[in-house]
Amino acid sequence: MATQNPVLYQLPVLEETISPSEIHQLLSLLDSKPTTRPTSSSETNRSVYSSEERRRRRMISNRESARRSRWRKKKHQEDLASESSRLKLTNRELENQLSTLTQHCHWLQRDSNQLLSESIYLQHRLAGLHEILATTMPLQ
C-alpha cells in the first residue's frame, strides 16, 4: 500500500504587527458595554455599537483582510516562481535530450547512407563477376 506525503499547512506571516494602541482598542471593545437605544420593542434588548466603535472595528477588520490578501498574493507569487524554475529546468533537460537524439539520428543516417553506398558498390561488383563467369564458362 502506497503511503501519501503529509499535507503541510503554513500560517500567514504577518508583515505588520498589531500596534499596542490597536490591541488596546480591541480590548476596550470587549470590555465596553455597547450602547442601546430603545426605538422599538424589538430593539429594546439589542446591542447597538456607536458609529465610532463600528468604524474602529471595520478598520481593524479591513487591516486584517488586507494582511491576509497580501499574504495570499505573496504565496501565489512564490508558487509561480517555483513553478517557473521547475519548468525551466524541465525545458533544459528536454532540450538536452533532443540535442542528443538529433545527433544520434544524424549518426544513424550517415551510417545508413554509407551502408547503402557499399551495398550498391557490391551489387555492381557482383553483377560484373556474373558477366565474367558467364563469358568464361560455357553453358553445360
Side-chain angles (χ1 to χ4, degrees):
M1 179 179 283
T3 60
Q4 294 181 352
N5 292 335
V7 177
L8 300 176
Y9 294 100
Q10 292 182 338
L11 296 175
V13 178
L14 300 177
E15 296 86 24
E16 302 172 18
T17 58
I18 298 176
S19 69
S21 64
E22 291 173 333
I23 293 173
H24 180 70
Q25 289 175 352
L26 284 172
L27 293 175
S28 69
L29 291 175
L30 294 174
D31 292 339
S32 67
K33 294 180 182 177
T35 59
T36 60
R37 44 179 188 168
T39 56
S40 70
S41 60
S42 64
E43 292 183 355
T44 305
N45 295 327
R46 198 166 96 189
S47 299
V48 178
Y49 293 106
S50 72
S51 63
E52 180 64 25
E53 290 173 35
R54 284 193 307 264
R55 187 186 68 75
R56 271 192 243 140
R57 291 177 74 149
R58 189 172 50 249
M59 181 180 66
I60 292 169
S61 175
N62 288 345
R63 284 181 184 168
E64 288 302 315
S65 178
R67 282 189 187 111
R68 288 190 305 270
S69 178
R70 285 191 301 272
W71 179 80
R72 282 192 304 269
K73 181 179 179 182
K74 182 179 177 183
K75 178 77 173 124
H76 182 65
Q77 288 174 338
E78 289 170 354
D79 291 345
L80 289 176
S82 174
E83 180 73 3
S84 175
S85 296
R86 187 187 66 76
L87 289 173
K88 285 177 183 177
L89 179 63
T90 301
N91 191 40
R92 199 171 317 125
E93 289 171 353
L94 289 172
E95 286 174 344
N96 289 341
Q97 287 178 3
L98 178 63
S99 176
T100 301
L101 289 172
T102 301
Q103 186 178 15
H104 188 67
C105 182
H106 287 304
W107 291 338
L108 291 174
Q109 187 67 44
R110 184 197 63 207
D111 291 347
S112 176
N113 290 339
Q114 184 178 358
L115 289 172
L116 185 60
S117 292
E118 288 177 19
S119 172
I120 292 170
Y121 168 75
L122 290 173
Q123 285 176 357
H124 285 301
R125 189 168 175 197
L126 183 61
L129 290 174
H130 278 286
E131 284 181 28
I132 293 173
L133 282 175
T135 58
T136 59
M137 295 178 91
L139 291 175
Q140 297 175 3

